[in-house]
Amino acid sequence: MISETRTCQNCKTNFDIEPEDFAFYEKMKVPPPTWCPQCRLIRRLSFMNERTLYNRTCDLCHKKMVAVFPAETSYVVYCAECWHSDKWDPMDYSADVDFTKPFFAQLGELFKKTPQMGQSVIALENSDFCNLSSQMKNCYLVFNSDYSENCMYGTFLEESKDSVDNYIAFSCERCYDSSNLYKDYNVRYSKRCNECTNVSFSLNLQNCNDCFGCVNLKNKQYHIFNVPYSKEEYDVKVQKFDVGSFVFVEEMKKKIPGIFLQFPRRYVEGLNNENVVGDFIFHSKNCFYCCEVLSGENCKYCHFLSIAQTKDSYDYTMWGAGSELLCECLASGDGAYNVKYSFNTWGAQSNIEYSKDIMKGGDDLFGCVALKKKKYCILNKQYTKEEYEKLVVKIKQHMNDAPYTDTAGRVYRYGEFFSLELAQHGYNETLAHAFFPLSKDEALKRGFQWRDAEAHGVMATVKGSELPDHIKDVPDAITTEIIECQHKGECLEQCPGAFKITSQELAFYRQMNIPLPRLCHNCRHYSRLSARNPISQLWNRQCQCGGAQSTNGVYINSANHPHGASSCLTIFQTSYAADRPDIVYCAECYQQEVV
């Protein structure tokens, strides 16, 4: 078997299908994809509303709730308590397979009539304004997180406490406005720090304590801009940095990126890997074109997989947790096995296809919604094992013989993820927009839906420019004010135009000596995302180590490298585009410079 170059039926660009890809698809008994990897990722992400929340009532108990669906949606929406209860039976919405209509059209009808989850949450305590989360306590506007406590405005938090405005933080405490943290304490305005304490405005630190404005340090203490000091000297100098002042913090945020550019970056973020290509990959083997994978083996085009190992999966986005043989799935996991083209399915299940919101286990389901612990069902209707197996074969043939075609002319045969026309949210409400932002006109032109922001009707009582510069000057009464976001709702970031400071939040800022923000939580989140490298694009580059210094002459090497005085010839794939000013080193050269 040889590689083939095919044309994406969505964006019309060419993409390659390698021999190992064909072997995987044959193993899964599915056809090769007709969309390129990036279009497949965007299509999956367009089905997930992570953080756009609405106030409405539950369609079953009629209590007020927070939901990812607005009140005027055409879907039936239940609160989490009702949805997980036995007050209703999803089998009541079953349908016979109609071979006179495309299967995706029938699946869309099942989506429409089966009650939807207002929030995808489990076991929350005093954490009503969260989504895609479980085992949370006293958390507010936290998303895609688990087992965390006293956190606000965070995303991808695991086992973290007393932290605000972080993106990807595992086992962290008292951290603020940072990303990609692991076992950190009191870390602020920093990125990619592991097992650090009392660190601010820093990048790529490991096991460091009491550092300010530092880059690429390991096992260090009492450093300021990479210069070592005694404890007494450090304490005196750090006290001069007025981190409680908004003006000072903004000045540092402008200054720090220029400092970071004077130091080399590792071409890929990762640890304990064997034969991997991508970014932020850890403890993995044979994983290619992946991003944010904590533990994977034999995976390709996978993103945001954490906890226990994921094995033998393609085009799998979000979760992991001991799953195996997943193909084109979103937010599925927790021991899932042999799951294809499905969304939000989890809990020791197997042999699931074209299904959504399947929880607490289940086996041998095709085109089902909201079933729990069921087996041999199609469109939520029960069959015998023999009936099920015969009918599934017939449905797949029907999907190929009479495929669904959307308004843009894209054809959905067996082997495609859900049609974009089955998406239940506007593009701008979903994770697709977070990582691949589009204007309204662009989104509609590409066949996505769009939801215009609601007029909140709330007038700001104070402008950001009118807030006290220093946190020590902020009165208790600030919690009664409505602060105008600097973006004024004019950006593409689901900005409400105004926001409030909660009492819990104010106490955190005072305790941590952090000035009040001038942007709403959504705009702050998107600002952190915009500083990240792309999650699905890689470029071929040569290591920029020129022997004694970087090839651009900016960085002077601190150690001798194996290639000596000549330039390093290592070629790699990296998420740093070739036209970026960052100094990018291969793993070996970078390791020589981390001191």
Side-chain angles (χ1 to χ4, degrees):
M1 191 176 293
I2 61 174
S3 64
E4 291 185 18
T5 299
R6 300 192 178 185
T7 301
C8 174
Q9 71 158 318
N10 183 52
C11 70
K12 310 307 179 185
T13 61
N14 291 336
F15 67 100
D16 294 326
I17 302 178
E18 304 295 343
E20 61 270 20
D21 303 335
F22 284 112
F24 173 80
Y25 299 132
E26 183 176 348
K27 181 178 181 180
M28 296 292 291
K29 296 181 173 57
V30 299
T34 66
W35 291 37
C36 69
Q38 181 161 298
C39 285
R40 300 197 300 266
L41 173 61
I42 295 172
R43 178 172 58 181
R44 290 193 301 277
L45 293 178
S46 70
F47 279 76
M48 176 173 281
N49 178 353
E50 178 188 73
R51 60 190 303 111
T52 306
L53 302 179
Y54 300 93
N55 290 308
R56 54 164 296 150
T57 58
C58 170
D59 286 328
L60 184 57
C61 70
H62 305 294
K63 294 179 180 178
K64 291 183 179 180
M65 69 170 180
V66 175
V68 295
F69 294 92
E72 65 272 19
T73 184
S74 59
Y75 296 98
V76 177
V77 182
Y78 289 175
C79 66
E81 182 179 352
C82 286
W83 196 92
H84 288 286
S85 74
D86 58 2
K87 297 177 183 178
W88 66 287
D89 187 353
M91 301 292 280
D92 291 341
Y93 303 91
S94 65
D96 293 319
V97 179
D98 184 349
F99 288 99
T100 67
K101 297 193 301 186
F103 187 75
F104 274 115
Q106 300 172 64
L107 197 56
E109 293 171 359
L110 186 63
F111 282 10
K112 283 287 186 183
K113 64 184 182 180
T114 307
Q116 306 293 312
M117 287 186 290
Q119 294 164 277
S120 182
V121 296
I122 295 176
L124 301 191
E125 180 180 341
N126 191 31
S127 304
D128 293 342
F129 291 83
C130 297
N131 189 40
L132 297 168
S133 300
S134 66
Q135 311 294 333
M136 309 289 284
K137 182 178 180 181
N138 300 330
C139 290
Y140 180 65
L141 292 173
V142 174
F143 306 95
N144 251 320
S145 301
D146 307 282
Y147 300 99
S148 296
E149 184 175 347
N150 301 328
C151 293
M152 292 175 282
Y153 315 124
T155 303
F156 293 131
L157 310 183
E158 297 291 334
E159 299 179 343
S160 294
K161 296 175 60 178
D162 303 307
S163 296
V164 175
D165 271 327
N166 297 298
Y167 179 79
I168 304 182
F170 286 16
S171 302
C172 293
E173 187 173 350
R174 288 169 57 88
C175 293
Y176 178 71
D177 196 8
S178 298
S179 61
N180 291 97
L181 306 181
Y182 177 69
K183 291 187 176 181
D184 293 319
Y185 180 85
N186 196 27
V187 170
R188 295 179 281 188
Y189 313 112
S190 298
K191 302 175 184 177
R192 307 172 191 175
C193 292
N194 296 334
E195 301 182 281
C196 295
T197 301
N198 302 332
V199 166
S200 299
F201 297 102
S202 295
L203 173 70
N204 288 333
L205 303 191
Q206 183 174 344
N207 193 31
C208 292
N209 300 330
D210 303 287
C211 292
F212 189 101
C214 292
V215 190
N216 296 349
L217 296 185
K218 184 177 182 181
N219 303 325
K220 301 298 182 183
Q221 190 171 19
Y222 307 129
H223 280 59
I224 300 176
F225 301 121
N226 279 34
V227 177
Y229 294 93
S230 68
K231 181 182 185 306
E232 293 73 21
E233 291 173 323
Y234 178 87
D235 290 342
V236 171
K237 289 184 175 292
V238 163
Q239 287 299 319
K240 295 179 180 179
F241 297 132
D242 193 3
V243 293
S245 161
F246 179 78
V247 170
F248 175 81
V249 169
E250 289 302 295
E251 289 175 350
M252 286 299 303
K253 286 184 175 181
K254 293 177 182 178
K255 176 181 179 180
I256 283 296
I259 295 175
F260 289 170
L261 288 175
Q262 298 173 26
F263 293 82
R265 308 284 181 90
R266 194 175 189 269
Y267 81 101
V268 58
E269 291 296 323
L271 182 69
N272 295 334
N273 295 318
E274 179 182 342
N275 193 29
V276 303
V277 175
D279 207 3
F280 290 99
I281 305 176
F282 302 88
H283 314 292
S284 297
K285 179 181 180 180
N286 301 329
C287 291
F288 304 100
Y289 307 104
C290 296
C291 184
E292 297 290 357
V293 173
L294 185 60
S295 178
E297 183 174 346
N298 303 329
C299 294
K300 197 168 186 178
Y301 310 125
C302 293
H303 305 78
F304 306 111
L305 304 183
S306 61
I307 313 176
Q309 188 181 60
T310 301
K311 295 180 64 176
D312 301 306
S313 297
Y314 270 49
D315 290 292
Y316 176 21
T317 303
M318 210 76 67
W319 204 339
S323 298
E324 185 175 352
L325 291 177
L326 272 70
C327 179
E328 274 266 52
C329 289
L330 173 68
S332 299
D334 191 22
Y337 180 86
N338 191 33
V339 179
K340 310 166 191 176
Y341 317 113
S342 295
F343 168 37
N344 202 30
T345 65
W346 56 271
Q349 57 192 233
S350 62
N351 308 324
I352 312 291
E353 296 190 69
Y354 288 107
S355 296
K356 175 181 177 294
D357 300 338
I358 308 298
M359 300 190 178
K360 301 180 181 179
D363 301 300
D364 301 285
L365 304 176
F366 195 100
C368 292
V369 179
L371 297 188
K372 304 167 188 175
K373 298 182 180 179
K374 296 295 182 181
K375 196 169 186 176
Y376 304 125
C377 295
I378 301 172
L379 295 179
N380 285 23
K381 183 175 179 178
Q382 184 70 62
Y383 294 90
T384 66
K385 180 178 184 296
E386 293 74 17
E387 290 171 333
Y388 174 87
E389 291 175 348
K390 289 180 181 179
L391 191 52
V392 165
V393 172
K394 189 177 179 181
I395 292 170
K396 292 179 180 179
Q397 187 61 50
H398 174 66
M399 293 175 74
N400 291 327
D401 294 341
Y404 182 87
T405 302
D406 66 17
T407 55
R410 293 168 294 213
V411 180
Y412 293 80
R413 293 183 171 85
Y414 174 72
E416 301 290 349
F417 191 73
F418 303 126
S419 161
L420 295 180
E421 294 176 347
L422 270 64
Q424 299 171 304
H425 307 284
Y427 185 87
N428 54 321
E429 297 176 298
T430 69
L431 278 177
H433 184 65
F435 292 104
F436 303 93
L438 297 175
S439 69
K440 179 179 179 178
D441 289 343
E442 290 172 328
L444 294 176
K445 183 178 179 180
R446 298 186 190 188
F448 297 105
Q449 301 175 51
W450 189 271
R451 178 174 171 78
D452 292 323
E454 291 183 341
H456 292 273
V458 177
M459 298 296 295
T461 59
V462 61
K463 295 182 178 180
S465 59
E466 298 171 340
L467 295 175
D469 173 64
H470 206 286
I471 185 62
K472 64 180 175 60
D473 298 321
V474 175
D476 292 344
I478 193 65
T479 58
T480 65
E481 302 284 1
I482 301 173
I483 303 170
E484 181 183 73
C485 176
Q486 285 183 338
H487 290 178
K488 301 178 182 180
E490 298 171 354
C491 60
L492 294 175
E493 300 167 357
Q494 295 290 293
C495 175
F499 63 100
K500 296 193 71 174
I501 301 294
T502 70
S503 298
Q504 178 186 1
E505 184 179 358
L506 179 60
F508 177 87
Y509 294 147
R510 285 171 169 170
Q511 185 181 37
M512 297 282 288
N513 195 28
I514 291 170
L516 295 182
R518 269 59 171 178
L519 294 176
C520 71
H521 79 97
N522 265 340
C523 292
R524 301 196 302 265
H525 170 72
Y526 276 83
S527 177
R528 284 187 291 275
L529 282 189
S530 67
R532 290 175 49 86
N533 290 3
I535 65 171
S536 66
Q537 290 178 279
L538 298 174
W539 289 266
N540 289 319
R541 293 188 60 170
Q542 181 176 333
C543 177
Q544 287 183 267
C545 179
Q549 60 186 12
S550 61
T551 54
N552 65 358
V554 172
Y555 179 77
I556 306 300
N557 287 344
S558 61
N560 294 323
H561 292 205
H563 54 81
S566 59
S567 293
C568 179
L569 301 179
T570 300
I571 303 293
F572 45 70
Q573 289 183 290
T574 179
S575 60
Y576 291 94
D579 59 354
R580 285 182 52 164
D582 308 83
I583 302 168
V584 185
Y585 277 14
C586 69
E588 290 75 16
C589 290
Y590 175 84
Q591 195 61 39
Q592 294 293 322
E593 299 306 312
V594 177
V595 295

